[in-house]
Amino acid sequence: QHLRAIEKKGYIKILSGASRGIVLNDSENEQIPVIGLVAAGGPILAEENIEKTIPKSKNLLSNEIDYYLRVKGDSMVDIGIFEEDLIGVSKSVSTKVGSVIVARINNEVTVKTLIEMSQNKVVLRPENQNYNDIIVNPQVDELAIEGSCVALLRESI
């Protein structure tokens, strides 16, 4: 009965007709990649290389997370995103004004709060008073919103 309860929660699969036929679900073995750096300051050149992977966990929002980025800089410290933190990025979560997003501006990537978005003007706000807003004209500059920040991991030392 205990094993059936664990199976219902999705942690294991009981194979019928097999002696000791218990296996861990594959979803527990899935990994989310840490694929590079994102600027929390001025934008930095985007480099996509897999630094490491982090196992998916049912305790985290890992179904929403497509990848992690390591933060460089201090422009988001007022909302608790510090240098060396890992932010979980989701491509599928809709971005709206007020969301913390990862934006690619002319092949440079940055994490900022989306303040305004129209055809002629996009305003990205750093959450640190020492930095100015980034104002982008999508008609002139190449702008792509890579995803929304849906999680934050801080590695203990």
Side-chain angles (χ1 to χ4, degrees):
Q1 288 175 338
H2 293 292
L3 291 174
R4 293 285 177 207
I6 294 170
E7 182 181 34
K8 273 187 174 179
K9 289 186 177 192
Y11 293 108
I12 64 171
K13 182 187 264 183
I14 297 175
L15 304 175
S16 61
S19 177
R20 297 183 184 95
I22 301 171
V23 293
L24 292 175
N25 272 344
D26 291 35
S27 63
E28 287 296 309
N29 297 326
E30 290 182 40
Q31 304 279 313
I32 302 172
V34 177
I35 62 168
L37 305 174
V38 63
I44 59 172
L45 187 62
E47 295 179 24
E48 186 172 311
N49 59 338
I50 297 177
E51 178 183 318
K52 66 179 181 178
T53 58
I54 297 173
K56 279 192 174 188
S57 168
K58 290 190 177 196
N59 297 332
L60 295 174
L61 298 171
S62 52
N63 287 339
E64 300 280 330
I65 301 170
D66 293 304
Y67 55 90
Y68 288 98
L69 292 171
R70 186 171 302 283
V71 175
K72 289 292 177 198
D74 64 351
S75 74
M76 300 300 284
V77 295
D78 289 348
I79 61 168
I81 300 175
F82 298 101
E83 186 156 6
E84 294 300 317
D85 284 349
L86 295 175
I87 57 170
V89 179
S90 174
K91 297 177 190 177
S92 60
V93 171
S94 62
T95 55
K96 56 188 174 195
V97 172
S99 299
V100 176
I101 63 163
V102 175
R104 183 182 303 268
I105 307 165
N106 298 326
N107 218 24
E108 296 178 336
V109 179
T110 188
V111 59
K112 299 288 181 277
T113 302
L114 179 63
I115 298 301
E116 182 182 333
M117 191 160 88
S118 67
Q119 284 187 319
N120 300 326
K121 183 178 176 185
V122 175
V123 179
L124 304 173
R125 176 159 298 150
E127 298 294 342
N128 182 334
Q129 294 177 0
N130 297 327
Y131 292 91
N132 295 322
D133 290 353
I134 296 173
I135 300 171
V136 180
N137 182 344
Q139 309 285 337
V140 176
D141 295 309
E142 189 178 324
L143 173 71
I145 296 177
E146 297 291 331
S148 295
C149 178
V150 295
L152 181 115
L153 295 178
R154 184 163 297 136
E155 296 179 304
S156 59
I157 298 172

